[in-house]
Coordinates of all heavy atoms in Angstrom, one line a residue:
M1 N 0.2 -13.8 0.6 CA -1.1 -13.1 0.6 C -1.6 -13.0 2.1 O -1.3 -13.8 2.9 CB -2.1 -14.0 -0.1 CG -1.7 -14.2 -1.6 SD -2.2 -12.8 -2.6 CE -1.6 -13.3 -4.2
K2 N -2.4 -12.0 2.3 CA -2.8 -11.7 3.7 C -4.3 -12.2 3.7 O -5.1 -11.9 2.8 CB -2.8 -10.2 4.0 CG -1.5 -9.6 3.5 CD -0.4 -9.6 4.6 CE 0.9 -9.0 4.1 NZ 1.9 -9.0 5.0
A3 N -4.7 -12.8 4.8 CA -6.0 -13.3 5.0 C -6.9 -12.2 5.6 O -8.1 -12.0 5.4 CB -6.1 -14.5 5.8
S4 N -6.3 -11.4 6.5 CA -7.0 -10.3 7.2 C -6.1 -9.2 7.5 O -4.9 -9.3 7.3 CB -7.6 -10.9 8.5 OG -6.5 -10.9 9.5
L5 N -6.7 -8.1 7.9 CA -5.9 -6.9 8.2 C -4.8 -7.1 9.3 O -3.7 -6.5 9.2 CB -6.8 -5.7 8.7 CG -7.7 -5.0 7.7 CD1 -8.4 -3.9 8.3 CD2 -6.9 -4.5 6.5
D6 N -5.1 -8.1 10.2 CA -4.1 -8.4 11.2 C -2.8 -8.9 10.6 O -1.7 -8.9 11.2 CB -4.6 -9.4 12.2 CG -5.7 -8.8 13.0 OD1 -5.7 -7.6 13.3 OD2 -6.6 -9.6 13.5
D7 N -2.9 -9.4 9.4 CA -1.7 -10.0 8.7 C -0.8 -8.9 8.1 O 0.3 -9.2 7.6 CB -2.1 -11.0 7.6 CG -2.8 -12.2 8.2 OD1 -2.5 -12.5 9.4 OD2 -3.6 -12.8 7.5
L8 N -1.3 -7.7 8.0 CA -0.5 -6.6 7.4 C 0.7 -6.3 8.3 O 0.5 -6.3 9.6 CB -1.4 -5.3 7.2 CG -2.4 -5.3 6.1 CD1 -3.3 -4.1 6.2 CD2 -1.7 -5.5 4.7
A9 N 1.8 -5.9 7.7 CA 3.0 -5.7 8.5 C 2.8 -4.5 9.4 O 3.4 -4.4 10.5 CB 4.2 -5.4 7.6
I10 N 2.0 -3.5 9.0 CA 1.8 -2.3 9.9 C 1.1 -2.7 11.2 O 1.3 -2.0 12.2 CB 1.0 -1.3 9.1 CG1 1.1 0.1 9.8 CG2 -0.5 -1.7 8.9 CD1 0.6 1.3 9.0
F11 N 0.4 -3.9 11.2 CA -0.2 -4.3 12.5 C 0.6 -5.5 13.1 O 0.0 -6.3 13.9 CB -1.7 -4.7 12.2 CG -2.5 -3.5 11.7 CD1 -3.2 -3.7 10.5 CD2 -2.4 -2.3 12.3 CE1 -3.9 -2.6 10.0 CE2 -3.2 -1.2 11.8 CZ -3.9 -1.4 10.6
T16 N 5.7 -8.2 3.3 CA 5.6 -8.9 2.1 C 7.0 -9.1 1.4 O 7.3 -10.1 0.8 CB 4.6 -8.2 1.1 OG1 3.4 -8.1 1.8 CG2 4.4 -9.1 -0.2
R276 N -4.9 -3.5 -13.7 CA -5.5 -3.9 -12.4 C -6.0 -2.8 -11.5 O -7.1 -2.9 -11.0 CB -4.4 -4.7 -11.6 CG -4.2 -6.1 -12.3 CD -3.4 -7.0 -11.4 NE -4.0 -7.3 -10.1 CZ -3.5 -8.2 -9.3 NH1 -2.5 -9.0 -9.7 NH2 -4.0 -8.4 -8.1
L277 N -5.2 -1.7 -11.4 CA -5.6 -0.6 -10.5 C -6.6 0.3 -11.1 O -7.4 1.0 -10.4 CB -4.4 0.2 -10.0 CG -3.3 -0.7 -9.3 CD1 -2.2 0.2 -8.9 CD2 -3.9 -1.4 -8.1
V280 N -10.0 -0.3 -9.8 CA -10.3 -0.1 -8.3 C -11.0 1.2 -8.1 O -10.4 2.2 -8.5 CB -8.9 -0.2 -7.6 CG1 -9.1 0.0 -6.1 CG2 -8.2 -1.5 -7.8
L283 N -9.3 4.9 -7.5 CA -7.9 5.0 -7.9 C -7.8 5.2 -9.4 O -8.7 4.7 -10.2 CB -7.2 3.6 -7.7 CG -6.5 3.5 -6.4 CD1 -7.4 3.7 -5.2 CD2 -5.8 2.2 -6.2
A308 N -12.4 6.2 -2.7 CA -11.7 4.9 -2.3 C -11.9 4.4 -0.9 O -11.7 3.3 -0.6 CB -10.2 5.1 -2.6
L310 N -10.2 5.4 1.4 CA -8.8 5.1 2.0 C -8.0 6.3 1.5 O -8.0 6.7 0.4 CB -8.2 3.9 1.3 CG -6.8 3.5 1.6 CD1 -6.7 3.0 3.0 CD2 -6.3 2.4 0.6
L315 N -2.5 4.5 2.7 CA -2.0 3.5 1.8 C -0.5 3.5 1.7 O 0.2 2.5 1.8 CB -2.6 3.7 0.4 CG -2.1 2.8 -0.7 CD1 -2.5 1.3 -0.4 CD2 -2.7 3.1 -2.1
T318 N 0.9 1.9 4.8 CA 0.8 0.4 4.8 C 1.7 -0.2 3.8 O 2.4 -1.2 4.1 CB -0.7 0.1 4.4 OG1 -1.6 0.9 5.2 CG2 -1.0 -1.4 4.6
L319 N 1.9 0.4 2.7 CA 2.8 -0.2 1.7 C 4.3 -0.1 2.2 O 5.0 -1.1 2.0 CB 2.7 0.6 0.3 CG 1.4 0.4 -0.4 CD1 1.4 1.3 -1.7 CD2 1.2 -1.1 -0.8
E322 N 5.1 -2.9 4.3 CA 5.2 -4.2 3.5 C 6.5 -4.2 2.7 O 6.8 -5.2 1.9 CB 4.0 -4.3 2.5 CG 2.7 -4.4 3.2 CD 2.5 -5.7 4.1 OE1 3.3 -6.6 3.9 OE2 1.7 -5.6 5.1
E376 N 2.6 -7.5 -9.7 CA 1.3 -8.2 -9.4 C 1.0 -8.2 -7.9 O -0.1 -7.9 -7.5 CB 1.3 -9.6 -9.9 CG 1.5 -9.8 -11.5 CD 0.2 -9.6 -12.3 OE1 -0.9 -9.3 -11.7 OE2 0.2 -9.8 -13.5
M377 N 2.1 -8.4 -7.2 CA 1.9 -8.4 -5.7 C 1.6 -7.1 -5.1 O 0.7 -6.9 -4.3 CB 3.2 -9.0 -5.0 CG 3.1 -9.1 -3.5 SD 1.7 -10.0 -3.0 CE 2.3 -11.7 -2.9
V378 N 2.3 -6.0 -5.7 CA 2.0 -4.6 -5.2 C 0.5 -4.3 -5.6 O -0.2 -3.8 -4.7 CB 2.9 -3.6 -5.9 CG1 2.5 -2.2 -5.5 CG2 4.4 -3.9 -5.5
C379 N 0.0 -4.7 -6.7 CA -1.4 -4.5 -7.1 C -2.3 -5.2 -6.1 O -3.3 -4.7 -5.7 CB -1.6 -5.0 -8.5 SG -0.8 -4.0 -9.8
W380 N -1.9 -6.5 -5.8 CA -2.8 -7.2 -4.9 C -2.9 -6.5 -3.6 O -4.0 -6.4 -3.0 CB -2.2 -8.7 -4.7 CG -3.1 -9.5 -3.9 CD1 -4.2 -10.3 -4.3 CD2 -3.2 -9.6 -2.5 NE1 -4.9 -10.8 -3.3 CE2 -4.3 -10.4 -2.1 CE3 -2.4 -9.0 -1.5 CZ2 -4.6 -10.7 -0.8 CZ3 -2.7 -9.3 -0.1 CH2 -3.8 -10.2 0.2
L381 N -1.7 -6.1 -3.1 CA -1.7 -5.4 -1.8 C -2.6 -4.1 -1.8 O -3.4 -3.9 -0.9 CB -0.3 -4.9 -1.4 CG 0.6 -6.0 -0.8 CD1 2.1 -5.5 -0.7 CD2 0.1 -6.3 0.7
I382 N -2.5 -3.4 -2.9 CA -3.3 -2.1 -3.0 C -4.8 -2.5 -3.1 O -5.6 -1.9 -2.4 CB -2.8 -1.3 -4.2 CG1 -1.4 -0.8 -4.0 CG2 -3.8 -0.1 -4.5 CD1 -0.8 -0.1 -5.2
E383 N -5.1 -3.5 -3.9 CA -6.5 -3.9 -4.0 C -7.0 -4.4 -2.6 O -8.2 -4.0 -2.2 CB -6.7 -5.1 -4.9 CG -6.5 -4.7 -6.4 CD -6.1 -5.9 -7.3 OE1 -5.9 -7.0 -6.8 OE2 -6.1 -5.7 -8.5
F384 N -6.2 -5.1 -1.9 CA -6.6 -5.6 -0.5 C -6.8 -4.4 0.4 O -7.8 -4.4 1.1 CB -5.4 -6.5 0.0 CG -5.7 -7.0 1.4 CD1 -6.5 -8.2 1.6 CD2 -5.1 -6.5 2.5 CE1 -6.7 -8.7 2.8 CE2 -5.3 -7.0 3.8 CZ -6.1 -8.1 3.9
C385 N -5.9 -3.4 0.4 CA -6.0 -2.2 1.3 C -7.3 -1.5 0.9 O -8.0 -1.0 1.8 CB -4.8 -1.3 1.1 SG -3.3 -2.0 1.7
R386 N -7.6 -1.4 -0.4 CA -8.8 -0.6 -0.8 C -10.0 -1.4 -0.4 O -11.0 -0.8 0.1 CB -8.7 -0.5 -2.3 CG -9.3 0.8 -2.9 CD -10.7 1.1 -2.6 NE -11.6 0.1 -3.1 CZ -12.9 0.1 -2.8 NH1 -13.5 1.0 -2.1 NH2 -13.7 -0.9 -3.2
A387 N -10.0 -2.7 -0.5 CA -11.2 -3.4 -0.2 C -11.5 -3.3 1.3 O -12.7 -3.4 1.7 CB -11.0 -4.9 -0.5
H388 N -10.5 -3.1 2.1 CA -10.7 -2.9 3.6 C -10.5 -1.5 4.0 O -10.1 -1.2 5.1 CB -9.8 -3.8 4.4 CG -10.0 -5.3 4.1 ND1 -9.4 -5.9 3.0 CD2 -10.7 -6.2 4.7 CE1 -9.7 -7.2 3.0 NE2 -10.6 -7.4 4.0
G389 N -10.7 -0.5 3.0 CA -10.2 0.8 3.2 C -10.7 1.5 4.5 O -9.9 2.1 5.2
R390 N -12.0 1.4 4.8 CA -12.5 2.2 5.9 C -11.9 1.7 7.3 O -11.5 2.4 8.1 CB -14.0 2.2 5.9 CG -14.5 3.0 4.7 CD -16.0 3.4 4.7 NE -16.3 3.8 3.4 CZ -16.0 5.0 2.8 NH1 -15.4 5.9 3.5 NH2 -16.3 5.3 1.6
E391 N -11.9 0.3 7.4 CA -11.4 -0.3 8.6 C -9.9 0.0 8.8 O -9.4 0.3 9.8 CB -11.7 -1.8 8.6 CG -11.5 -2.4 10.0 CD -11.6 -3.9 10.0 OE1 -12.1 -4.5 9.0 OE2 -11.0 -4.5 10.9
L392 N -9.2 -0.1 7.6 CA -7.8 0.1 7.6 C -7.5 1.5 8.1 O -6.6 1.7 8.9 CB -7.2 -0.2 6.2 CG -5.7 0.1 6.0 CD1 -4.8 -0.8 7.0 CD2 -5.3 -0.2 4.6

Side-chain angles (χ1 to χ4, degrees):
M1 300 278 176
K2 317 268 177 185
S4 77
L5 286 185
D6 290 332
D7 296 331
L8 287 173
I10 195 166
F11 302 126
T16 306
R276 286 193 59 171
L277 301 181
V280 179
L283 265 60
L310 176 72
L315 180 60
T318 310
L319 290 176
E322 298 297 338
E376 297 277 5
M377 181 51 91
V378 175
C379 289
W380 186 88
L381 276 169
I382 294 174
E383 287 159 355
F384 180 81
C385 291
R386 216 299 303 173
H388 299 83
R390 293 194 195 281
E391 193 190 341
L392 176 60

